[in-house]
Amino acid sequence: MNLPVDAPQTRTPRLKAACQQQLAALAESMEGLRVAVVASADGFPLASVGLDAQEGRRITAMAAALDALGQRLVQELALGAQESALIESAAGLVLCRQVVNDITPMILLVVTGEGSNPGYALWAVKKAARALSESLSAPRSGAPTPSEREQ
């Protein structure tokens, strides 16, 4: 069941802590990362690295619009479900990926610097989104998630 982002359950410390923890791990593992943000699918920031609060609200609103536009384009072209969107610029990459979970629709936005490897960036963002999704969907019994069992 997906909850609106302003539902009390989406503001829990567990949700924000899981998001911030995954962003910290991504920042540590990804050379050239400038910005990373987890936001609700409607553009409200949940956690970020490399942004102040005001900047985060503006960027996450644009990320949500990018995600929605990509979904609509993929739907119109009958390409199945969108997984991510990638913008390549002269000074770096912008990657936007959906984070599927049982709490609320979310997106992960990552901005890299010049010279970043697009293939590695796509892989790292996909891995981070999957790990976040699994941590949010994991049973509270303390059982390890599939990604924890792989390590």
Side-chain angles (χ1 to χ4, degrees), residues 105-150:
M106 296 188 307
I107 54 176
L108 170 61
L109 177 77
V110 172
V111 179
T112 69
E114 188 176 358
S116 295
N117 179 320
Y120 178 78
L122 282 167
W123 174 82
V125 170
K126 182 176 184 176
K127 181 180 174 190
R130 183 182 303 130
L132 179 56
S133 176
E134 289 173 355
S135 73
L136 295 175
S137 301
R140 293 181 186 241
S141 67
T145 64
S147 65
E148 290 171 335
R149 285 189 294 264
E150 289 173 8

Side-chain angles (χ1 to χ4, degrees), residues 8-121:
Q9 296 90 328
T10 65
R11 290 191 222 140
T12 65
R14 178 180 172 257
L15 174 65
K16 290 188 177 199
C19 293
Q20 197 64 49
Q21 180 181 15
Q22 193 52 241
L23 292 183
L26 179 62
E28 190 174 303
S29 70
M30 191 173 175
E31 193 174 318
L33 184 132
R34 291 178 43 204
V35 170
V37 180
V38 176
S40 65
D42 52 357
F44 293 98
L46 298 169
S48 68
V49 170
L51 289 177
D52 64 36
Q54 184 173 351
E55 194 177 30
R57 287 188 292 275
R58 192 176 73 246
I59 297 300
T60 56
M62 288 187 277
L66 172 63
D67 181 60
L69 178 61
Q71 286 182 43
R72 185 69 181 146
L73 183 59
V74 167
Q75 181 183 15
E76 284 294 317
L77 296 171
L79 295 173
Q82 174 185 328
E83 293 185 12
S84 64
L86 167 67
I87 298 173
E88 188 174 0
S89 75
L93 305 169
V94 177
L95 296 101
C96 186
R97 185 162 191 97
Q98 296 176 2
V99 179
V100 179
N101 65 84
D102 297 332
I103 299 171
T104 189
M106 296 188 307
I107 54 176
L108 170 61
L109 177 77
V110 172
V111 179
T112 69
E114 188 176 358
S116 295
N117 179 320
Y120 178 78

